[in-house]
Amino acid sequence: MNRTRRNFLWGSTFLGASLFAGRKVAAQDKHDHAGHDHKTVEQAAVPEGDFVPVHTPDLGKLPYKVENGVKVFHLIAEPVKRQFLPASPWAPAKVVDLWGYNGSMPGPAIEVMEGDRVRIIVTNKLPEPTSMHWHGLEVPIGMDGVPGISQPLIMPGETFTYEFTLYQNGTFFYHSHMPMQELVGMIGLFIVHPRKPHLPRVDKDFGLILQGWAILPNNTVPNTLAMEFNWLTFNGKAGPDCTPLIVKQGERVRIRLVNLSMDHHPIHLHGHQFYVTGTEGGRIPQSAWYPGNTVLVGVAQARDIEFEAKYAGEWMLHCHLPHHMMNQMVSMVGPMAHLGHGMQTGKGMEEGMGIVTKGHALSEELGPSFGRGLGITSLERPVSSLVGLQQQAQHQHHQHSGLSEAEKKKVPGYPQDMWMTMDDEVAKPETYGLPPGWTGSMMGMMTLVRVLPPADYEKLMARIKEGRTEKSKSAPPSHRHED
């Protein structure tokens, strides 16, 4: 059946043909939001480009064409590959099989203006049905994207057209409304700029998507059933491969944080205090702002933070959950042993849920255990929380210790952390001038906000514009030694 015809029949059956008959959706959506002053929005002059564009490190923007005053976007849901980290002396490249949009995971950002009318044509190139929800946006019910309630499923090979007018502004996002598809990567930013810029105006505007993944060392497909996660990413990249945010000292900065994972994330900024100025519901009244340097971004939430970049330096921006500050963790820290007795670690999902697969409920196999789903059990040997380290890593760590191997083994809990650098492997224009070894501190959901004095900023921006990515061991900028 023709897709447009299917949309019409679906709406006619459940809510009346006037809401769903092809382009009639566009004509009727103003009547579905009586609380908005639609006349004011639709007649207002929307100054195209009167905003600071949102920079989404390591992600692109979704292009559009204007047809009869409507901004038309094309989104393709499809399988994608994403490299969380490049190859290094410590491990091969971490390339993951995910689902996303237009060859990207997360999908490309949609950036529009309040008052715009948008038409988003979604084509499904996945092997199973999908749908699209516009998270936080107030749209007609026929455009809400919940299959079985507001629309039919978009079957493989089919296309569904969403169309609505934007009566809000703020940080929103789009995602599949199939929950396991959300966990395999189907999300993208949807930024709506206000017709009248918010005050105080910002000089830089960034967007970051927070995600977590359970991926065994030799696997490429995330376990979407897991409850414990060992890869954490900003915009589909793990530290230290996240592209730093480049800021000139004295600028006012906004960072938009969106979380679609199974964990909440306390995002912490070093060196500066910020205000939380917006949520997925829009702008917070300034009277309700309060200072902080850590904001909890809950699942399915957006948080806008703003601050004045007063202090020069390379300031970390990261989730402060300790396990989220690492890559490729599994539940085996220190020499915790089991040989049929004692505490077990890294049990699989069935065991973690108490499912009896053999023996009886009081059998030894169902004894106390650590771990909720990565399914790796510890052995009678010292192991690190960082799995897959090669002998070179262990050797380097031992060389820089003042203790003998025998003395180390006497320390309860050893080993815990390893120091691994990969400066050259993640070199890009935005990392130029960072001190040698900077990557040793960067793993998991971590990136840098580089606040540079004007002269250093201009030099680095010129390098970025030229795309100069040569690796550098140069001395750090002079501001590193300032008080």
Side-chain angles (χ1 to χ4, degrees), residues 76-258:
I76 300 172
E78 60 186 351
V80 302
K81 290 184 180 293
R82 183 65 160 168
Q83 180 176 282
F84 288 176
L85 278 180
S88 73
W90 317 112
K94 190 64 178 181
V95 179
V96 186
D97 287 294
L98 303 166
W99 292 3
Y101 300 95
N102 296 51
S104 175
M105 196 303 303
I110 295 174
E111 188 172 12
V112 287
M113 293 286 292
E114 180 183 11
D116 281 348
R117 185 160 195 85
V118 297
R119 182 181 306 144
I120 306 172
I121 302 168
V122 178
T123 299
N124 182 10
K125 292 189 177 181
L126 298 171
E128 66 184 38
T130 191
S131 71
M132 187 71 78
H133 175 60
W134 316 101
H135 194 106
L137 289 173
E138 299 172 4
V139 299
I141 183 62
M143 301 288 100
D144 193 49
V146 181
I149 295 178
S150 60
Q151 70 164 85
L153 285 162
I154 308 174
M155 303 303 289
E158 291 186 338
T159 293
F160 192 99
T161 298
Y162 299 85
E163 186 165 334
F164 44 86
T165 300
L166 299 164
Y167 300 112
Q168 304 157 262
N169 65 77
T171 303
F172 311 102
F173 49 105
Y174 63 87
H175 63 83
S176 166
H177 214 273
M178 313 291 281
M180 305 308 282
Q181 293 179 5
E182 295 176 24
L183 290 175
V184 80
M186 301 194 71
I187 179 179
L189 287 166
F190 197 123
I191 307 298
V192 184
H193 292 282
R195 289 172 292 129
K196 182 178 180 180
H198 296 306
L199 297 176
R201 297 194 65 167
V202 297
D203 302 293
K204 291 286 170 57
D205 202 338
F206 299 95
L208 297 174
I209 292 179
L210 290 52
Q211 293 168 289
W213 318 89
I215 310 173
L216 293 172
N218 294 321
N219 284 8
T220 64
V221 179
N223 176 9
T224 56
L225 293 172
M227 296 295 291
E228 187 170 279
F229 309 94
N230 61 339
W231 283 91
L232 290 302
T233 57
F234 278 136
N235 287 357
K237 288 286 188 179
D241 202 26
C242 300
T243 298
L245 284 56
I246 309 300
V247 175
K248 181 165 63 176
Q249 189 175 12
E251 288 185 320
R252 183 174 179 83
V253 181
R254 177 187 296 122
I255 303 177
R256 305 169 188 259
L257 302 162
V258 166

Side-chain angles (χ1 to χ4, degrees), residues 399-457:
Q399 278 186 323
H400 290 82
S401 173
L403 299 177
S404 68
E405 286 303 305
E407 290 172 321
K408 293 174 189 175
K409 292 177 180 179
K410 294 179 181 179
V411 179
Y414 168 81
Q416 291 294 326
D417 287 293
M418 304 294 289
W419 182 261
M420 299 176 293
T421 60
M422 48 188 300
D423 298 16
D424 289 346
E425 289 75 18
V426 300
K428 57 190 75 175
E430 291 84 355
T431 65
Y432 185 81
L434 288 172
W438 70 273
T439 51
S441 294
M442 303 290 293
M443 290 185 288
M445 193 177 284
M446 290 183 162
T447 189
L448 289 174
V449 178
R450 300 191 66 186
V451 179
L452 301 175
D456 289 346
Y457 172 84

